Amino acid sequence: MPQPQPQRTPGIAYPPLPLPETGRDDDMATFQDWLQKAIPLAGELGITDMRREGDCLHWSLALAPGLNDKGTGFGGALAAQTTLAGWCWLTLWLRRRGLARSVVVAEASQRFVAPVTADYRLACFPADAAAGAALAQSLRAGGKGRIILRQTVFSGDTCCLDASGRYVVLPAANGRL
């Protein structure tokens, strides 16, 4: 039997997920469970699988929760998914480095190429191969950093959406996040 979700209160931060042991990756199922509690909308977006391969975060998604009146993927749901995937990519990147920091999206854009007509997959990755190294240097130098991430949505062999976002890592405040 599913357990009831804790009620979220506006203005009250959700407790962060403990960092993984040094040198270990996150358990993606644990991260996804925490994500759905920390950001309740995440539990409604149809994410069926989340995995990382190299510098790419992959999601598998069910179409049913995001259907529009035309029987295809609703653009707002797709935009929310791509934005959240970027936030997750950066949060997981920080966690692998032992950093518990706040991440925010500063800018996001989407280009809808074709309708999503079946379950689909989303990939999120840095827009530039050197972006991770540049972000790490920026965090060391000033405590704050930025990265541009790309997201693509494919239904079968068809690219349906190309998106990008600029995400910001906020400086640690008083030794916290």
Side-chain angles (χ1 to χ4, degrees):
M1 173 181 282
Q3 295 190 9
Q5 295 291 330
Q7 190 68 21
R8 293 295 317 277
T9 304
I12 305 295
Y14 194 79
L17 184 63
L19 291 171
E21 292 179 32
T22 303
R24 296 198 55 193
D25 271 338
D26 272 295
D27 171 3
M28 295 303 271
T30 300
F31 179 78
Q32 187 173 350
D33 182 60
W34 172 84
L35 177 67
Q36 292 174 357
K37 293 172 186 161
I39 303 175
L41 177 64
E44 305 300 323
L45 293 177
I47 303 166
T48 59
D49 182 56
M50 185 184 297
R51 62 184 163 52
R52 196 172 57 78
E53 290 179 11
D55 225 10
C56 189
L57 178 64
H58 295 274
W59 286 2
S60 296
L61 297 115
L63 176 58
L67 277 174
N68 65 16
D69 58 322
K70 295 155 198 68
T72 61
F74 175 58
L78 295 165
Q81 291 162 345
T82 58
T83 302
L84 182 61
W87 183 92
C88 288
W89 186 97
L90 185 49
T91 298
L92 290 163
W93 184 91
L94 290 163
R95 291 175 58 75
R96 285 192 309 276
R97 285 151 182 81
L99 301 171
R101 302 282 290 278
S102 290
V103 173
V104 296
V105 60
E107 182 179 347
S109 65
Q110 299 83 30
R111 187 172 62 89
F112 298 88
V113 181
V116 175
T117 57
D119 291 350
Y120 52 103
R121 62 193 187 283
L122 184 156
C124 180
F125 48 92
D128 179 305
L135 175 61
Q137 174 59 32
S138 180
L139 293 174
R140 282 191 296 274
K144 183 177 179 178
R146 297 179 172 81
I147 190 168
I148 295 174
L149 298 171
R150 286 198 49 219
Q151 301 89 22
T152 56
V153 170
F154 278 83
S155 182
D157 292 332
T158 303
C159 179
C160 299
L161 173 63
D162 186 26
S164 68
R166 184 168 49 92
Y167 295 82
V168 176
V169 178
L170 300 177
N174 302 328
R176 295 181 12 226
L177 293 182

